[in-house]
Amino acid sequence: MTKNLNDFFDHLEAHNFQNEADQQIVKKLLEAEENWPVSIDRVSQFLELLEKEIGGVINERSLEELLKKYNQNLTKYAWNAESISYVLDIFKLTEETTLNNICSRLFNKKNN
């Protein structure tokens, strides 16, 4: 997955997603990326950062655990915590269980 986050934004602006849920997922992903304290250019880079922070698969439970960690020191991790909150919102919009699957599904739709 090497898509640029701007590709998502371009598709979102052009209303190229098939349903409202996918549009909301992309909005949440962009908000999460914008709030992450380190500049990110690609979705794959953002996923890699989250996987490293979590130490494994990015799913709702692992994100909740990471958010608990960040909430223990908000003076240091406020931006991270806000970013993770946006990512957690994504799981309310889909039946997918991992963020990688969600992003792959959205990319595959755009690449077809």
Side-chain angles (χ1 to χ4, degrees), residues 31-38 46 50 67 70-71 73-87:
E31 289 169 337
E33 180 272 333
E34 288 172 1
N35 281 291
W36 197 256
V38 178
F46 186 54
L50 287 179
L67 184 58
Y70 290 153
N71 283 337
N73 189 354
L74 281 177
T75 56
K76 184 175 180 181
Y77 295 115
W79 290 107
N80 302 64
E82 187 164 342
S83 180
I84 296 302
S85 295
Y86 287 122
V87 177

Side-chain angles (χ1 to χ4, degrees), residues 40-54:
I40 299 168
D41 296 323
R42 295 174 297 145
V43 173
S44 58
Q45 183 183 13
F46 186 54
L47 295 176
E48 289 168 9
L49 285 169
L50 287 179
E51 285 174 342
K52 187 176 179 179
E53 285 289 304
I54 288 169

Side-chain angles (χ1 to χ4, degrees), residues 2-73:
T2 61
K3 287 287 189 178
N4 188 305
L5 281 166
N6 289 329
D7 290 345
F8 264 163
F9 185 73
D10 292 343
H11 286 295
L12 184 62
E13 287 294 306
H15 305 287
N16 286 340
F17 289 95
Q18 294 178 352
N19 60 57
E20 180 66 25
D22 285 353
Q23 289 181 358
Q24 291 301 314
I25 289 169
V26 173
K27 284 181 183 178
K28 293 293 181 185
L29 187 59
L30 291 171
E31 289 169 337
E33 180 272 333
E34 288 172 1
N35 281 291
W36 197 256
V38 178
S39 179
I40 299 168
D41 296 323
R42 295 174 297 145
V43 173
S44 58
Q45 183 183 13
F46 186 54
L47 295 176
E48 289 168 9
L49 285 169
L50 287 179
E51 285 174 342
K52 187 176 179 179
E53 285 289 304
I54 288 169
V57 176
I58 307 164
N59 57 38
E60 194 169 6
R61 183 173 177 190
S62 63
L63 288 168
E64 288 170 349
E65 291 298 316
L66 184 59
L67 184 58
K68 284 181 191 176
K69 173 187 161 187
Y70 290 153
N71 283 337
Q72 292 175 357
N73 189 354

